[in-house]
Amino acid sequence: MNKFLLAVHVLAAIVAVGPVTVAASMFPPSARKALAEPGDAQALSTVRVLHRICRVYATVGVAVPVFGFATAKNMGVLGDTWLIVSIALTALAAVVLAALVLPRQTALMEGMEGMQGMEESIEEGVGGGGQGAAYAGASRVGPRDTARLAMFTGLFNLLWATVTILMIVRPGSTTGA
């Protein structure tokens, strides 16, 4: 049973966390490109897809700690320091993703969509009256926002890399490494 749970835990980590780390890392440069070229529908579409990958796989990623706890319980290592540190870092990574990465991705994406809508309105000759207020938030996203997002994404990825190393090395473990 240990081998089965461990295999499911590792596969869940690869399938769920891997796409989030890659898509989240690709998001800031893709967002910078979309900001630099507001009329580029392909660039905005790329940003949307990357954000969707992050959101969906973050949800699927809940399976990783679920199977991790089941594996640790079966192996009798729930009290081991390496596992407690890994659990704490995993929780911190989840907070970084949920509170810092995903909301900033959403804000950037919405700002870019607002900029694109504003540009389309200008091209169509619309924009008088109350239209300016509708797009007031669109100008609030910029390259600084992508840099800040990249920093939080890097922190998220660093936390996951550290957890992965702890899971492989298992310092102080008596169950063999």
Side-chain angles (χ1 to χ4, degrees):
M1 185 60 134
N2 286 350
K3 289 182 181 181
F4 171 76
L5 289 172
L6 183 59
V8 173
H9 172 64
V10 170
L11 285 171
I14 292 168
V15 170
V17 179
V20 173
T21 58
V22 173
S25 295
M26 291 173 65
F27 190 97
S30 297
R32 277 191 289 279
K33 182 177 187 232
L35 285 168
E37 303 168 17
D40 187 353
Q42 181 65 34
L44 185 57
S45 178
T46 299
V47 169
R48 284 184 187 127
V49 168
L50 292 171
H51 181 59
R52 183 174 175 90
I53 289 169
C54 290
R55 277 192 352 259
V56 169
Y57 282 94
T59 304
V60 173
V62 171
V64 176
V66 168
F67 283 101
F69 274 112
T71 303
K73 184 178 179 203
N74 267 10
M75 292 176 71
V77 295
L78 276 175
D80 287 8
T81 304
W82 65 270
L83 185 65
I84 293 168
V85 171
S86 294
I87 291 168
L89 292 175
T90 298
L92 184 57
V95 168
V96 168
L97 182 64
L100 300 173
V101 175
L102 293 176
R104 281 176 170 74
Q105 284 183 352
T106 301
L108 275 163
M109 197 172 61
E110 288 172 353
M112 287 182 279
E113 288 170 345
M115 286 172 56
Q116 185 178 29
M118 184 169 45
E119 188 173 282
E120 289 170 2
S121 293
I122 291 168
E123 286 174 5
E124 294 172 5
V126 180
Q131 289 288 5
Y135 299 114
S139 62
R140 295 195 181 158
V141 297
R144 274 185 92 134
D145 298 305
T146 63
R148 195 170 292 118
L149 174 60
M151 177 187 68
F152 291 129
T153 300
L155 176 61
F156 170 76
N157 290 342
L158 181 63
L159 288 167
W160 272 117
T162 304
V163 168
T164 301
I165 291 166
L166 284 171
M167 292 289 166
I168 293 168
V169 175
R170 300 186 308 187
S173 175
T174 58
T175 59

